[in-house]
Amino acid sequence: MDPSRLAVIIAAAACSPNPNDRKAAEQSLDQIQHTPQHLIRVLQIVVDGGCDPAVRQAACIHFKNFIAKHWDPHSGDQSKILPSDKNVVRDQILVYVSQLPPILRVQMGECLKTIIYADYPEQWPHLLDWVKHNLQDQQVYGALFVLRILSSKYEFKSDEDRAPIYRVVEETFPHLLNIFNKLIHIENPSLEVADHIKLICKIFWSCIYLELPRPLFDQTFFNAWMVLFLNILERPVPVEGQPEDPELRKSWGWWKTKKWVAHILNRLYTRFGDMKLQNPDNKAFAQMFQMNYAAKILECHLKLLNAIRIGDYLPDRVINLILQYLSNSIPKNSMYSLLQPHLDVLLFEVIFPLMCFNDNDQMLWEEDPHEYVRKGYDIIEDLYSPRTASMDFVTELVRKRGKDNFPKFIQFIVGTFTRYDEAPLEQKPYRQKDGALLAVGTLCDKLRQTEPYKSELENMLVRHVFPEFSSPAGHLRAKAAWVAGQYANINFSDQTNFSKALHCVISGMRDPELPVRVDSVFALRSFIEACKNLDEIRPLLPQLLDEFFKLMNEVENEDLAFTLETIVYKFGEEISPYALGLCQNLASTFWRCIDSDNGDDETDDTGALAAVGCLRAISTILESISSLPHLYGQIEPQLLPIMRKMLTTDGQDVFEEVLEIVSYITTFSPTISLEMWSLWPLMMQALVDWAIDFFPNILVPLHNYITRGTERYLTCKEPDYQQSLWSVVSLFMANKNIDESDLVPAPKLIGIVLQTCKGQVDQWVEPYLRITLDRLRGAEKSSFKCLLIEVIANTFYYSAPLALGILQRFGFATEILTIWLRMLQEKKKSGVHANFNREHGKKVCILGLTSLLCLPAGQFPGEVLPPAKDFRSYSDDDDFSDDDFSDDEELDTPIDEVDPFILFMDAVTAMQASDSLRFQSLTQTLDPHYQGLANNIAQHTEQRRAEIQKEQLEKQSSTTVAA
């Protein structure tokens, strides 16, 4: 198909207003997309300057999506693109990438990234030659663009995976340095020059992120780079062309170059210029960096910060990076001595003003309070925030250099409080008070530990924080709630002050300003955790929960759910009257968060994080009502749609949280409903397709289905749960590429089936034994071998004659028992047993061996008969404590009710009565130590039998009384 006809189809598929035409065009594309040269023709449309821009963009998106899906051979779709077509695409994309308009170049960059990450260096060895050639030719920008993508492939790679970048650095860095040097010396440089410098900086950053390349250890070569970086850092950005709009200005090319240089210098300083962090090979470099550059960078940074002191512009990200550098300089004596003369100006004229509420905060508070809240609690925002960097600087200063600076800074804060208190109402410095409160909250750990401040904290709260709960400035009401939360767990000498703060925070949940309500909720969490008398909160619980859900309907924030978790955890069963309503509200909020997250094209994870928080809160509620099983039946219908949807690929980000909910419901509901059973196929499908990492989480609900819904598991044929389990377990056990640590739940599941369905799954004993033996042959880890042997022990406990007969038919009976008994006897150097250290594993071994012991003599061939001392229950190491057979990490199983001592002694007693000769032949080999041990076991067994009978009588008595 010629490109012009293909362009018509692509345009129709992307842009046609008629849905039928769009569908027909999409079907046509599906039919032709795997034909030879299709990808080449699409690329021709993308680069055709005479084609409609909308069609070019649609073709570019189609091209990008097709490459993302089918290019990488690891995806299994290599055959869908001919090698000859790949060669043409690789060559042509390099020619055209720099000629495309920016909107298309971004998309093409994604294509290049996919291709380079998949093909370089093996399938694209000449790529580096192309880059080198064009760095010295007319296509410098294209070469830089490609080299940036190439270097990013190795940014986070280490050791041998990083090897290809060494050649890249050796062969391109001299050219990059030359280009960089020429660009620096251009008079009246254009924005295009800034774009070139920015790409060079990003290439340098990727190449040095984890490891400093060898060429940079050459002091002359490194110095040439540093001269250029310091030049960019020091020189003022051009005034002409600088956008007025702050949002556009911070993304302007020249400010971007300054940001990337600051980024690089911070990385060099913290990772390679610190003597304490370096290995011996790099120590000389660290010394050289400290001696020649660290102080010069500090000087440049202080000059830049002075610009904001006098009211000039500096982007937030640049301020943040500079303050990070200064914070890292505080612990170093030589650097601190340079910083010290500037500290007063820095602290009180730069750092503190950055901590104060400002015009941008006010504008966002008024125009978009939701965005104000989001930014205030977004960890990613903290990475770029000058305010957060200022708080970190102050924290580091008082931590490492507190003797000189802590009292001085606190005195300044107290002075700010005093000036605020003395000012008339209309002239109160609200913003400075906000900054002072932020400082007090930031330094809470230091203030709580240091006298004389420690003794004055309660007084400070009463005098300077409590009054702001009723401040006319909303941001001060919010800050008061936050600071109160920071100090909720101090020892209040007057409990009425704690109560007052608590009630002010609760009142703040009804504040007309959204940020105040949010900060109040988060502070409430601290007060609930610190509260010694829940009676203060208990009467307010309905009101609190009502305010909670009003807020959750307004704001997507995971911390809201965390606070709710704290309430549920603290009040436990008392939350039960509200459990259904809580779960309904949380489910609604979850769907809203998911919808907003799916509809947001930006990289904002707020909705996703809030969704996870909702599921965690639901799990906490389900756990709190575990002693009230009737409530699960009411709650289950509210949660089923979430479970059904999120146990598919749609729920990969919340899969673990959803599985926890499934586990609680299948564990504590009176019965497992048919609706819950409908989740079994979803979990099994996910397990096979992509969720093997969640196998331990899936084990819990599968265990519950089998042990609590045994009849349905055994009898249902649509779906056939037994066949379903076998298909998955056998698939995984047969796959030698799956690591043994990922397979641990498989033998556990087999054991659960054999123990629960004793006598009812004879047809599965042989298949399960076969896959277990196959896996045992190549097993490497001793812990995994133990689990496989436990499967064999479980088959003996299930039916010793059946299992032994199968093993004998396989010809493995003697070999397996020999391995098993050898593992039982194996000890570590310390003298403790090397294998079967889990209490559950010990018990399974005892039950399996005891079941063998119960076989009639004729069914037990002599060559597989172990000595009697090997039937011991690890008793020579244990003290017969009942705790020996309980393991909190294990799920409840049918053998929990089986007492191994009684089972063993009953087997011995039966043998003594029915086959005395065999009994004598087994016991006559025992030395005095083991004879004494046998007598001890017999005595302990009778004690256990009496205790169990007593427990049963008491249970019957209490049941009768209750009836």
Side-chain angles (χ1 to χ4, degrees):
M1 181 180 292
D2 66 272
S4 58
R5 172 66 186 142
L6 181 58
V8 172
I9 296 173
I10 289 173
C15 310
S16 174
N18 187 318
N20 293 328
D21 291 346
R22 277 202 312 276
K23 187 174 182 180
E26 288 166 0
Q27 289 173 343
S28 296
L29 273 180
D30 288 341
Q31 291 169 2
I32 64 175
Q33 65 179 345
H34 297 302
T35 57
Q37 299 193 333
H38 170 74
L39 210 52
I40 299 168
R41 295 188 191 99
V42 177
L43 183 57
Q44 289 173 347
I45 297 168
V46 174
V47 302
D48 183 359
C51 190
D52 184 314
V55 176
R56 291 178 71 188
Q57 186 169 356
C60 196
I61 293 170
H62 173 72
F63 185 79
K64 181 192 74 172
N65 292 340
F66 188 86
I67 282 183
K69 188 174 182 181
H70 299 297
W71 189 279
D72 188 352
H74 296 297
S75 67
D77 294 328
Q78 186 178 15
S79 60
K80 293 184 178 179
I81 306 175
L82 293 174
S84 57
D85 285 2
K86 283 191 170 188
N87 288 334
V88 173
V89 167
R90 280 191 288 251
D91 291 340
Q92 290 192 358
I93 202 171
L94 292 176
V95 173
Y96 292 111
V97 68
S98 63
Q99 303 172 19
L100 293 171
I103 193 170
L104 297 182
R105 193 187 306 135
V106 171
Q107 303 277 2
M108 203 54 65
E110 288 298 312
C111 301
L112 260 172
K113 184 176 179 180
T114 300
I115 297 170
I116 289 173
Y117 278 37
D119 291 359
Y120 185 83
E122 290 83 2
Q123 283 81 43
W124 206 354
H126 67 272
L127 175 63
L128 184 56
D129 295 330
W130 182 92
V131 169
K132 277 170 52 188
H133 173 75
N134 284 281
L135 285 175
Q136 304 166 72
D137 196 33
Q138 300 301 311
Q139 281 204 59
V140 172
Y141 184 82
L144 292 174
F145 186 84
V146 173
L147 184 55
R148 162 60 183 152
I149 296 169
L150 174 58
S151 62
S152 72
K153 175 179 179 178
Y154 300 97
E155 186 169 320
F156 303 110
K157 295 285 176 65
S158 58
D159 302 328
E160 67 274 5
D161 293 335
R162 189 175 173 78
I165 199 65
Y166 301 145
R167 185 181 164 217
V168 172
V169 171
E170 287 172 4
E171 300 198 16
T172 64
F173 265 42
H175 300 301
L176 290 178
L177 185 62
N178 185 41
I179 295 166
F180 196 175
N181 194 45
K182 289 178 181 177
L183 293 169
I184 283 289
H185 290 98
I186 294 175
E187 291 188 18
N188 300 316
S190 67
L191 201 55
E192 185 181 344
V193 171
D195 290 339
H196 281 66
I197 293 174
K198 182 179 71 175
L199 277 175
I200 292 171
C201 289
K202 291 170 94 169
I203 293 163
F204 190 95
W205 166 266
S206 289
C207 292
I208 64 125
Y209 183 77
L210 279 184
E211 184 182 317
L212 204 63
R214 282 288 131 194
L216 293 175
F217 282 87
D218 182 307
Q219 191 166 341
T220 303
F221 188 60
F222 181 74
N223 184 66
W225 280 98
M226 289 300 294
V227 166
L228 299 178
F229 288 140
L230 288 169
N231 183 300
I232 292 291
L233 193 65
E234 286 181 295
R235 65 156 64 180
V237 299
V239 176
E240 187 178 346
Q242 193 165 166
E244 291 294 327
D245 186 310
E247 286 301 309
L248 296 175
R249 190 189 298 182
K250 70 180 182 183
S251 301
W252 192 49
W254 285 109
W255 282 123
K256 283 279 193 180
T257 61
K258 205 174 282 284
K259 181 204 81 171
W260 275 103
V261 167
H263 228 353
I264 289 167
L265 296 177
N266 275 16
R267 190 66 180 173
L268 289 170
Y269 184 45
T270 56
R271 188 167 179 85
F272 308 110
D274 189 336
M275 296 284 294
K276 293 180 181 176
L277 299 177
Q278 291 310 311
N279 60 42
D281 294 340
N282 293 352
K283 217 156 207 176
F285 178 88
Q287 285 177 325
M288 181 272 294
F289 189 91
Q290 285 283 349
M291 186 179 301
N292 297 340
Y293 305 109
K296 178 63 176 173
I297 296 167
L298 181 69
E299 182 185 328
C300 293
H301 283 343
L302 290 172
K303 287 179 182 176
L304 283 168
L305 287 179
N306 190 59
I308 60 171
R309 188 173 72 88
I310 61 175
D312 288 345
Y313 175 78
L314 198 62
D316 285 356
R317 183 62 171 134
V318 176
I319 299 172
N320 178 284
L321 288 165
I322 290 173
L323 291 177
Q324 284 185 42
Y325 189 94
L326 268 54
S327 294
N328 285 311
S329 298
I330 292 168
K332 301 175 178 64
N333 291 334
S334 61
M335 296 295 285
Y336 181 70
S337 65
L338 297 173
L339 188 60
Q340 199 169 19
H342 307 278
L343 267 179
D344 282 3
V345 171
L346 184 63
L347 264 180
F348 307 131
E349 298 184 40
V350 176
I351 298 289
F352 182 74
L354 287 171
M355 296 177 74
C356 294
F357 197 78
N358 58 38
D359 290 341
N360 291 334
D361 297 324
Q362 188 67 47
M363 186 185 306
L364 197 59
W365 180 289
E366 293 171 355
E367 295 179 1
D368 193 349
H370 287 84
E371 179 62 8
Y372 181 91
V373 168
R374 188 200 66 77
K375 289 185 74 171
Y377 288 93
D378 189 340
I379 297 171
I380 303 302
E381 290 286 343
D382 286 345
L383 298 177
Y384 305 101
S385 163
R387 182 168 292 141
T388 303
S390 299
M391 293 159 65
D392 292 342
F393 179 86
V394 170
T395 302
E396 184 72 358
L397 187 67
V398 302
R399 190 170 71 91
K400 291 291 178 65
R401 307 287 178 177
K403 184 178 179 182
D404 298 328
N405 298 296
F406 189 36
K408 180 169 59 177
F409 186 70
I410 294 301
Q411 186 179 357
F412 174 81
I413 296 301
V414 171
T416 304
F417 285 156
T418 303
R419 286 191 297 275
Y420 177 87
D421 290 342
E422 292 174 352
L425 185 63
E426 65 278 4
Q427 295 177 14
K428 284 192 179 295
Y430 294 121
R431 294 183 175 186
Q432 284 70 31
K433 177 69 180 277
D434 190 285
L437 289 176
L438 178 63
V440 166
T442 299
L443 297 176
C444 62
D445 289 338
K446 182 77 172 176
L447 287 166
R448 282 189 301 221
Q449 296 167 7
T450 310
E451 292 291 3
Y453 314 110
K454 179 180 176 182
S455 305
E456 292 297 319
L457 289 178
E458 185 174 353
N459 185 45
M460 180 272 295
L461 290 173
V462 172
R463 285 186 59 196
H464 301 298
V465 178
F466 289 5
E468 304 312 327
F469 280 114
S470 55
S471 170
H475 63 89
L476 274 182
R477 297 197 301 275
K479 195 66 86 235
W482 177 75
V483 174
Q486 295 292 93
Y487 290 95
N489 62 350
I490 66 170
N491 291 320
F492 284 86
S493 58
D494 184 348
Q495 279 301 307
T496 58
N497 287 328
F498 177 88
S499 300
K500 182 176 181 180
L502 170 62
H503 286 279
C504 285
V505 165
I506 292 172
S507 296
M509 293 174 66
R510 298 188 297 276
D511 194 276
E513 303 274 13
L514 176 66
V516 181
R517 298 199 295 276
V518 172
D519 279 341
S520 298
V521 166
F522 299 157
L524 179 65
R525 180 181 179 188
S526 300
F527 277 95
I528 290 174
E529 288 173 343
C531 189
K532 297 181 177 67
N533 181 11
L534 290 177
D535 286 340
E536 285 200 62
I537 304 173
R538 193 169 278 111
L540 303 172
L541 201 53
Q543 172 193 330
L544 282 180
L545 296 174
D546 187 49
E547 297 298 336
F548 247 103
F549 287 111
K550 286 179 185 174
L551 202 52
M552 289 188 83
N553 287 331
E554 286 188 82
V555 179
E556 293 168 4
N557 191 296
E558 60 176 334
D559 289 309
L560 285 172
F562 294 160
T563 302
L564 183 58
E565 274 190 86
T566 303
I567 292 175
V568 173
Y569 177 77
K570 275 283 188 177
F571 284 93
E573 281 188 20
E574 292 181 64
I575 216 76
S576 60
Y578 317 105
L580 177 59
L582 287 170
C583 289
Q584 285 173 327
N585 276 286
L586 286 165
S588 299
T589 305
F590 170 82
W591 286 120
R592 195 164 55 253
C593 294
I594 289 294
D595 289 343
S596 72
D597 189 55
N598 291 339
D600 191 352
D601 293 332
E602 299 178 5
T603 56
D604 176 18
D605 292 330
T606 306
L609 290 171
V612 170
C614 289
L615 297 180
R616 282 188 47 176
I618 288 171
S619 288
T620 305
I621 292 165
L622 293 176
E623 182 182 22
S624 73
I625 59 169
S626 59
S627 61
L628 303 167
H630 66 280
L631 292 176
Y632 288 89
Q634 301 170 27
I635 294 171
E636 181 188 306
Q638 313 301 321
L639 304 181
L640 267 168
I642 293 176
M643 292 185 280
R644 286 195 177 119
K645 178 76 170 173
M646 296 301 150
L647 288 174
T648 67
T649 51
D650 291 336
Q652 292 188 38
D653 292 337
V654 295
F655 198 69
E656 185 173 355
E657 287 76 17
V658 173
L659 285 172
E660 187 170 17
I661 291 171
V662 176
S663 299
Y664 277 123
I665 294 176
T666 53
T667 299
F668 296 114
S669 287
T671 59
I672 300 178
S673 68
L674 293 179
E675 288 77 14
M676 290 301 296
W677 273 98
S678 71
L679 305 179
W680 171 297
L682 298 178
M683 289 186 285
M684 298 307 257
Q685 190 63 51
L687 193 54
V688 170
D689 290 347
W690 56 270
I692 191 167
D693 289 344
F694 298 95
F695 202 177
N697 309 81
I698 294 174
L699 171 66
V700 179
L702 293 183
H703 161 273
N704 292 339
Y705 285 121
I706 296 166
T707 58
R708 301 192 68 234
T710 310
E711 183 178 356
R712 180 169 178 79
Y713 172 76
L714 290 171
T715 59
C716 184
K717 297 303 177 188
E718 288 294 334
D720 189 330
Y721 300 110
Q722 295 183 67
Q723 182 63 46
S724 166
L725 187 68
W726 160 255
S727 298
V728 173
V729 170
S730 60
L731 177 71
F732 286 173
M733 292 276 275
N735 188 342
K736 297 300 189 288
N737 294 322
I738 299 178
D739 190 82
E740 290 176 358
S741 58
D742 293 326
L743 273 180
V744 164
K748 288 185 178 182
L749 274 170
I750 299 173
I752 290 165
V753 170
L754 293 170
Q755 292 171 15
T756 305
C757 308
K758 196 172 182 182
Q760 301 177 83
V761 288
D762 288 11
Q763 72 276 20
W764 292 112
V765 175
E766 182 171 331
Y768 279 132
L769 265 175
R770 186 185 301 112
I771 61 170
T772 301
L773 293 171
D774 288 345
R775 193 77 201 199
L776 183 62
R777 287 191 190 97
E780 297 177 355
K781 297 178 181 176
S782 60
S783 57
F784 188 62
K785 285 182 185 177
C786 289
L787 288 172
L788 295 174
I789 290 294
E790 286 170 31
V791 171
I792 295 164
N794 272 310
T795 62
F796 286 141
Y797 178 64
Y798 175 89
S799 171
L802 176 62
L804 187 60
I806 293 168
L807 287 175
Q808 288 173 327
R809 195 164 67 252
F810 288 169
F812 288 133
T814 302
E815 180 184 348
I816 290 302
L817 279 171
T818 302
I819 292 170
W820 185 5
L821 296 173
R822 186 177 67 242
M823 288 176 68
L824 282 169
Q825 295 169 338
E826 202 173 324
K827 293 190 176 183
K828 297 179 182 178
K829 289 181 181 178
S830 61
V832 300
H833 284 285
N835 303 303
F836 307 106
N837 294 317
R838 299 178 314 134
E839 301 304 338
H840 179 80
K842 293 179 188 179
K843 187 170 186 177
V844 168
C845 285
I846 294 166
L847 299 188
L849 289 171
T850 303
S851 299
L852 280 175
L853 193 64
C854 292
L855 285 171
Q859 291 185 27
F860 203 116
E863 70 271 13
V864 298
L865 186 66
K869 65 181 181 181
D870 289 322
F871 286 99
R872 60 187 166 73
S873 60
Y874 275 45
S875 305
D876 48 337
D877 291 334
D878 299 335
D879 59 0
F880 303 126
S881 165
D882 294 343
D883 293 338
D884 285 349
F885 299 103
S886 65
D887 190 337
D888 292 337
E889 294 180 2
E890 291 293 338
L891 299 161
D892 294 339
T893 67
I895 66 171
D896 292 345
E897 300 302 316
V898 179
D899 187 284
F901 294 100
I902 294 174
L903 185 74
F904 176 73
M905 286 308 301
D906 285 352
V908 171
T909 303
M911 182 194 298
Q912 187 176 13
S914 63
D915 194 342
S916 57
L917 290 176
R918 184 180 172 209
F919 175 78
Q920 288 176 7
S921 69
L922 278 172
T923 56
Q924 67 188 5
T925 61
L926 293 177
D927 60 29
H929 168 72
Y930 283 105
Q931 287 178 357
L933 191 59
N935 291 332
N936 290 341
I937 291 174
Q939 292 173 12
H940 180 74
T941 300
E942 293 311 309
Q943 292 174 8
R944 289 289 302 129
R945 202 188 301 273
E947 289 169 3
I948 290 170
Q949 288 174 349
K950 183 180 178 183
E951 289 169 6
Q952 289 173 343
L953 288 172
E954 288 175 352
K955 189 174 180 180
Q956 289 173 2
S957 175
S958 62
T959 304
T960 304
V961 170

